[in-house]
Amino acid sequence: MNRSPTVHRRRLGTELRRMREAAQRTHREVAAYLDCSQGKISQIELGRVPVRAADVRLMSEFYGATAEQLAELLELAEASQQRGWWQEYPGAARRSGFDTYLGLETAASAVSVFGADPLPELLQTAEYHTALLNSSRSGLSSSEISDRLAVTAIRQRRLRGQGALELWAVLDEAALRRRVGGPRLMRRQLEHLVLMSYRRNVTLRVLPFDAGPHPLMGEHVTVFSFRDEAEQRVVHVGDSTNSRFLEREGDIEPYLAAFRRVCSLALEPKRSTMLISSIADERPWYSSCNPARGRVVTRTPR
């Protein structure tokens, strides 16, 4: 679960960009030296593609790198060629940008998410996720659904055990009230959210309807933070049809400010858990469940 070539590509790209700027070279000059497109240089510096050792040598030569710098860059280039663990599930990574998303999530120490609908995949039960996949307009095959479920299950393991991923999730009330699958399925999903809220590394907050308009309306936003302080946070904005990754300070700060604003409008964790529980009890699906199960028991989160 530690294999993430994405983080090596990002570090390599950052170093190559820093060296290019120190050498006062433009993308056009580097592209001419390598006999390639400017777009390729940009993609390398953004950490979007693996980099050949030959290209690293040429770029280092052009920038006047030392032998020690070249050795470090070649080591990063070799690591960037590794396969991510998710590539063992070909049916799961066919969404635009999903390969990069999984690489960042695997390398991150903390993830913050907001999206109106549906619930974040890290918090979905297998039943809920299956119902969503079966309703997809993409017409997924059984093998693709199986691969996506397997990848999601592996991702969710990071929320457990030593060194668990820190998850901050702001859930729109609409996602809690939208019935996905049958009544029993949705109640179990809500119960699962209540249980997840008890984990020390998971913080759930609900953005209620009466919070009104907010700066992330219609957006799906994920913020990846890394244990290494030298690693810049990355903001992902998008959905299944449009995906963007923002890394520059000037690009990510407006989204971080918007996320802070949404958090200020959301209910505190304790009240959020109570609302999730009350929705499970008040909705029509409650009467369709086994009455012997009773109400969802809420405890005071940490």
Side-chain angles (χ1 to χ4, degrees):
M1 189 59 184
N2 295 322
R3 289 178 292 154
S4 181
T6 302
V7 71
H8 299 299
R9 293 174 191 173
R10 291 182 62 241
R11 288 175 178 168
L12 176 60
T14 297
E15 285 302 306
L16 289 172
R17 182 177 68 248
R18 183 187 61 78
M19 292 173 66
R20 176 182 60 78
E21 292 173 346
Q24 298 184 329
R25 298 293 188 177
T26 66
H27 281 168
R28 177 177 294 181
E29 291 172 329
V30 181
Y33 191 78
L34 269 65
D35 191 24
C36 67
S37 68
Q38 294 183 55
K40 176 179 176 179
I41 304 303
S42 178
Q43 290 293 96
I44 288 174
E45 291 186 353
L46 290 172
R48 303 286 171 77
V49 294
V51 189
R52 298 184 306 166
D55 288 336
V56 171
R57 289 182 183 278
L58 286 173
M59 295 170 81
S60 298
E61 178 184 89
F62 196 47
Y63 302 151
T66 65
E68 183 179 357
Q69 288 174 319
L70 174 59
E72 292 176 355
L73 293 174
L74 288 174
E75 185 176 344
L76 285 173
E78 181 180 0
S80 76
Q81 301 281 351
Q82 297 173 356
R83 286 172 56 86
W85 61 266
W86 56 89
Q87 291 176 323
E88 298 175 12
Y89 304 89
R94 293 178 182 170
R95 286 174 280 180
S96 173
F98 197 49
D99 183 89
T100 300
Y101 188 100
L102 288 178
L104 291 169
E105 185 181 271
T106 298
S109 59
V111 173
S112 302
V113 296
F114 170 79
D117 219 355
L119 295 168
E121 290 184 354
L122 287 175
L123 295 171
Q124 294 177 10
T125 65
E127 292 176 303
Y128 181 98
H129 195 29
T130 301
L132 288 175
L133 294 174
N134 283 326
S135 66
S136 170
R137 63 176 178 271
S138 301
L140 300 173
S141 67
S142 58
S143 62
E144 289 174 322
I145 290 176
S146 177
D147 279 357
R148 292 199 184 189
L149 288 170
V151 166
T152 299
I154 293 172
R155 293 166 60 198
Q156 291 175 347
R157 291 178 196 165
R158 289 206 61 207
L159 296 175
R160 307 189 296 270
Q162 188 174 7
L165 178 71
E166 293 281 339
L167 176 64
W168 292 72
V170 179
L171 310 177
D172 196 292
E173 186 175 347
L176 302 174
R177 295 187 178 277
R178 185 179 304 283
R179 193 173 81 178
V180 174
R184 289 188 176 89
L185 184 158
M186 194 61 202
R187 179 176 170 85
R188 284 192 291 268
Q189 173 63 67
L190 294 173
E191 289 176 332
H192 177 69
L193 292 177
V194 171
L195 292 174
M196 291 299 294
S197 72
Y198 303 152
R199 294 184 178 274
R200 291 185 178 275
N201 60 306
V202 176
T203 301
L204 302 185
R205 302 184 67 172
V206 175
L207 184 67
F209 286 142
D210 60 14
H214 57 84
L216 290 180
M217 291 185 69
E219 299 274 23
H220 288 74
V221 178
T222 305
V223 182
F224 300 100
S225 302
F226 305 92
R227 190 162 283 109
D228 186 347
E229 293 184 359
E231 285 288 318
Q232 175 70 40
R233 282 180 293 185
V234 179
V235 172
H236 173 261
V237 183
D239 51 29
S240 60
T241 59
N242 181 33
S243 189
R244 291 182 292 143
F245 294 91
L246 309 176
E247 300 184 48
R248 296 184 183 276
E249 191 67 32
D251 294 331
I252 69 174
E253 184 52 42
Y255 281 96
L256 297 180
F259 203 101
R260 289 192 291 269
R261 173 59 178 161
V262 169
C263 285
S264 72
L265 294 171
L267 301 176
E268 293 296 324
K270 178 181 178 180
R271 291 183 61 198
S272 295
T273 302
M274 293 174 65
L275 177 58
I276 295 170
S277 176
S278 68
I279 291 173
D281 288 337
E282 76 185 26
R283 297 292 292 170
W285 56 63
Y286 178 66
S287 62
S288 301
C289 301
N290 184 351
R293 299 182 65 182
R295 297 175 61 84
V296 178
V297 178
T298 57
R299 294 178 291 170
T300 302
R302 60 193 181 285

